[in-house]
Amino acid sequence: MACFSPCCAPRMHMAAKEDLYAKVTPRRQRQNRPSAIKHGSTLDVLLSMGFPKTRALKALVSTGGKNVQAACDWLFSHVDDPFLDDPLPREYVLYLRPNGPLVQQLSHFWQQSRLSCGKNKAHNIFPHITLCQFFVCADGKVEALCDALQSTVANWKGRIPMPLPLELYTSATFIGLFVEEQMAEVLKSFAADFATEAVAKADVHIEPHKKQLHVTLAYQFQASHLPILEKLARNIDVTLGCDWLAVLFSRDIRFANHETLQVMYPYAPQNDDELELVTGDFIFMSPMEQSTASEGWVYGTSLGTGLSGLLPENYVSRADESDTWVVHGLHSINCASPSNAGSTMGGLLFDGQMNDSLLDTLIDPSGLSGLCPPMQVQPPGQSSLSKMRLFVCRHGERMDVVFGKHWLTQCFDPKGRYIRSNLNMPATLPARTGGHRDYDKDCPLTVFGSTQARLVGEALLESHETIDFVYCSPSLRCIQTAQHILQGFQQEGKTKIRVEPGLFEWTKWVSGTCLPAWIPPAELAAANLSVDTTYRPHIPMSKLAVSESYDTYISRSFQVTREILAECKNLGNTVLIVAHASSLEACTRQIQGLRPQNAKDFVQVVRKIPYLGFCACEELGETGVWQLVDPPILPLTHGPNHSFNWREMLIQD
């Protein structure tokens, strides 16, 4: 069998569509939730309310024709959308989606492949069989298009034998389940009849899918991941029963080639060219639009409002392409007659799950949920007794960032005595044999930084976690962070901190011509820090070089992490590393079997990791590879707090 291109890379096929693409610009409409009604009467209501017909139709198709309220909400949220009156139609496609026992197997593969090997191109869209190419349909003809699908399903009732015979196929770049040829011809006839009905009822031209019908499992993955993915794919039992659903989806044609992001935190614009962010909204971003964005910012368009602007990069995360698609019709092709789901039903897909209680009553809830789940193997707080786990945590808030590089001159008198000048400065600091100037390159935590760390320890305690070993960068801020985590965890003095120089950050980031003069473990212990003074480092301080190359730093981090895990093997299940923002990436990427990123991408990832950023890894059974999993604790969000001088209240106009 020849290698086939995946079905999830649609392209426009008509000259007229090329004209449509020519007018695409970076703006966006919004969609909403599913529906179970036709929008003929709903359209009349919207028109009677005074909305122009073009806007009312656009609101209905963008919300899947749910109801008047959903359409009104969409119109009000898009009141400032500069493309609200743009006649550009949406783009549609017909998929078969699995449901029932088979989908649970596919869900498990989706989850394990993502955890084991990271995200590949197949994860952008849920498991499906493509029945036609993407096509456009004017807003006013969508109801007729949905009627065409319903009629086709009714005409085909009982004519498609089940289960569909599927055969696993793998190549160096593609893994999928192919429909047996004779059955594929039956499905293609079904799709051809739908195309005929669409022309007759909606005057819409649809080109049936011409390639072999298949469910794409993985493609565009690293060659080293093929054995793992192939092993996982062979565990799928394709003989299990499955209720295949014919689902009509739509997407905004202007953002077909954009990257989809999801808003994680709300953001209020500070300048006119910035975009307001609402948690849960989606953002469309094109690399070609980023020339106007400075470092740490991206330019994108909101799904929720249709507005475009700049937004902080660390407030969003990558989402799947299909997360913003709308459902317009859903029918079981196994049933003797179409279900009520066959009416004009629509709505957004979030993480592969239709967001409507009606669908939960029509379909087995396990069928459409969890197809592209978050990276989670077990519920937070439930420890694995057999698998090793690795937690990597960044240190807390540091003094020099909050109070500036010249904080030493504010806090030390000419005799080198420490005097704090702000409540967020610690009451005392450990003495240093080299004098207080050594704090210049090895700063302590703020009081709030210590509080942050203690909160993480308390959260670990509440989640009933265990920590068997703690390894730490030699930086004082990291050691203090580990100390306060153990305090909150109620393990201070019971679990000793192993100071490992090999965990120090990329030395290129250290200013000057020498590395920091770290406090020796014996002096740290004398300052009441729970440090293991008998520990012998894997990479001693003498092996660290100033301004090391990126490759050297990545290799050092990988080496020391492997040696730490090997050292703890069979002695305990859980290892905590407390180090730097860069450690969350450098200490976990290669143990997952992934290649290091280039230096530029690495820096972009590291810049997004906040104080006390926390990640978790788990050993992946027989493969010998580790995987990222959900951390056992909630994230810790914090913001800036500017200095306040009460004397400003005395200023008179």
Side-chain angles (χ1 to χ4, degrees), residues 373-384:
M375 293 194 297
Q376 178 174 323
V377 172
Q378 57 194 21
Q382 295 184 8
S383 301
S384 167

Side-chain angles (χ1 to χ4, degrees), residues 4 7 94-96 129-133 149 152 156 159-162 164 178-197 206-214 246 333:
F4 295 91
C7 61
L94 180 63
Y95 283 166
L96 283 186
I129 296 174
T130 302
L131 293 183
C132 70
Q133 304 297 323
L149 177 59
T152 305
W156 274 81
R159 293 169 57 189
I160 302 179
M162 290 293 157
L164 293 182
F178 279 77
V179 181
E180 184 270 331
E181 186 174 353
Q182 185 175 357
M183 180 59 68
E185 292 304 316
V186 174
L187 294 179
K188 288 181 179 180
S189 296
F190 169 80
D193 282 1
F194 168 60
T196 301
E197 285 286 321
I206 299 175
E207 184 177 344
H209 194 61
K210 295 180 179 178
K211 298 178 181 178
Q212 284 190 266
L213 301 187
H214 61 278
I333 64 171

